[in-house]
Each structure stands twice: as structure tokens, then as C-alpha cells.
Amino acid sequence: MLTDKDILFASLMGTANIKTYQRTQLVQNELSKHVLPRIPFLPFQNENVIAQENLNPSWLINQTDLPIPEEQQFFSLSFSLTENGQRWLFPYEPMITISSGNTVIKRNVAKQGDKLIGTIKERWNRKDFDITVTGVLMGSLTTGKFEDCFPRAQMRKLFEFLKYNKEFYIYCAPLEILGIIKVVVEDYTFPFTKGENVQAYDLKLTSDDFYNLLVIEENK
């Protein structure tokens, strides 16, 4: 059952993602019964915040969770414009959905007989991987002026990749297992998000590969 805090955070992700979030919570609750640690899909808490006696309590209440270091994220996600270029780490671990399949060419053959059922599969090839990345960007203060609260720097950095008109490199453990190292951006959405310091995003990416379309013919 979702707590008030969980419902609030799910609302930040948009109504279309609440069911996905609920399924994620069920998985985490089940995993918590075993040896595995709780998977930090979303940044509900930051256990690294250390209270200092000389800080104003009202200042502490106005603070949000700090970005989570890469070593503390379960499936960290990074982008890079070039293979060996500087990587940009998503400050809070997003939810990643991967889908693909095969394109199958089928042919219906007449008079196949009683023992021949269905279509003839002539050939097939693998589809691209479709990758959906859903998460949030968060400013350092929960309330205040726009320039102090809204995650402007994070949003600008993310948009550098979204507007890039070529493929770029992506680094995430599940994607590496599937051989996905380059992607292109198809669609992206920054939906209305509750909270002065929070901005949700929904990215639609497609895998890319290394292709050599030039064939050099040898002289015979």
C-alpha cells in the first residue's frame, strides 16, 4: 500500500506512470524480505545528510535530497557525447524500460494441407531497442525563488543531449549486458510537475549500432 509520501512522489512522475511506480514498489517490498538491499529506484531519502547543530531548523526543512553518488546508485545512468568524452551522471536514478523484438516476414501459402498450419516465415531481423527513461530533477531548496529552487543547471545539461542531432553514448549496466552503447533521441517530455524544485522527464531513446555502408570493390 502506498504511503502519503509515495503517492506524492508518484504524482510528480505523472498519472501515466503511477501504475508502473506501484509495480516497482511491490518488487522492492518483496526484495526487502530477502538478503538483497532496497533498490533506490527513486530518491525518497538521502541517508548522507548530516545534521549540524549550528544550522537553522527552518533551513533544514527547506532542503531537498542531495544528488546520489554513482557508487550508491543501483543502476546508475550516464550520457556522453563521444566515446571517451566526459560523462554526465543522472543525479537521481531513473526508471528504465527496455523493449525490442523481431521483424518477421510471413507468407500465406494456399493448399498447405492439414499438416501444414500457419504461415511460412521467410526471414526475420532484430528490431532496435526502445528505451524509456523516466525520472525527476530536483533543486536544492524546496521553496523560494525560481532561480534558487528550480533545477535549472540539471535541466540545461540534460537538454544538451536531447537536442544533439547525432547518436551519443549511454552507460548503464542492463544496457551494456544487451550490447547497447549508443542511442538516439526520438521524443522527450517535461510534464507539469508538482513542487517548486522538481521537474519530471520522460525520454524515448532508440539504440544505434556501428554500421559501415561503404563497400570497397577490389579490381579483378
Side-chain angles (χ1 to χ4, degrees):
M1 183 176 182
L2 295 178
T3 65
D4 292 342
K5 195 172 186 179
D6 295 342
I7 293 174
L8 174 61
F9 207 93
S11 67
L12 298 178
M13 307 292 290
T15 55
N17 295 307
I18 291 180
K19 292 184 178 180
T20 300
Y21 170 72
Q22 289 175 323
R23 291 194 298 269
T24 302
Q25 282 295 94
L26 291 175
V27 172
Q28 293 191 92
N29 292 338
E30 185 64 27
L31 287 176
S32 64
K33 301 176 184 177
H34 304 282
V35 181
L36 295 177
R38 179 179 175 86
I39 301 175
F41 285 99
L42 296 171
F44 293 116
Q45 298 180 351
N46 187 350
E47 299 176 354
N48 297 324
V49 177
I50 302 176
Q52 301 181 21
E53 295 180 356
N54 59 341
L55 293 179
N56 189 335
S58 63
W59 183 88
L60 286 174
I61 295 175
N62 198 30
Q63 292 297 295
T64 187
D65 296 339
L66 296 175
I68 302 176
E70 183 174 8
E71 61 273 11
Q72 296 183 18
Q73 297 187 28
F74 191 80
F75 285 140
S76 61
L77 176 65
S78 299
F79 285 166
S80 176
L81 295 179
T82 58
E83 184 175 5
N84 298 316
Q86 185 176 2
R87 299 185 184 184
W88 180 70
L89 173 68
F90 278 67
Y92 304 101
E93 184 178 345
M95 295 188 293
I96 301 176
T97 302
I98 309 169
S99 61
S100 186
N102 295 314
T103 301
V104 182
I105 306 300
K106 303 177 182 179
R107 184 177 297 276
N108 292 302
V109 179
K111 300 180 181 179
Q112 296 186 47
D114 295 336
K115 296 183 179 181
L116 298 177
I117 302 174
T119 59
I120 303 299
K121 285 73 176 176
E122 293 186 345
R123 66 178 187 273
W124 57 86
N125 63 287
R126 290 172 52 189
K127 296 180 180 178
D128 293 325
F129 286 97
D130 294 322
I131 306 162
T132 301
V133 181
T134 303
V136 293
L137 306 174
M138 301 176 65
S140 58
L141 299 178
T142 57
T143 59
K145 296 181 179 180
F146 166 76
E147 56 268 21
D148 297 329
C149 298
F150 195 74
R152 296 184 299 166
Q154 297 176 10
M155 194 169 181
R156 287 196 191 101
K157 192 62 181 179
L158 176 58
F159 189 58
E160 289 183 12
F161 294 94
L162 301 182
K163 68 181 181 179
Y164 193 58
N165 60 356
K166 296 181 180 179
E167 74 281 358
F168 57 83
Y169 288 80
I170 189 169
Y171 303 93
C172 186
L175 301 181
E176 293 176 5
I177 292 174
L178 299 176
I180 305 171
I181 59 175
K182 293 197 301 181
V183 295
V184 296
V185 178
E186 291 223 26
D187 296 290
Y188 51 89
T189 305
F190 293 103
F192 168 78
T193 313
K194 297 179 181 179
E196 296 179 1
N197 70 319
V198 183
Q199 177 58 61
Y201 59 82
D202 192 33
L203 315 180
K204 306 292 184 183
L205 312 176
T206 301
S207 63
D208 194 23
D209 209 335
F210 296 92
Y211 301 102
N212 183 9
L213 301 180
L214 297 178
V215 179
I216 302 177
E217 296 183 357
E218 298 181 359
N219 296 328
K220 295 182 179 181

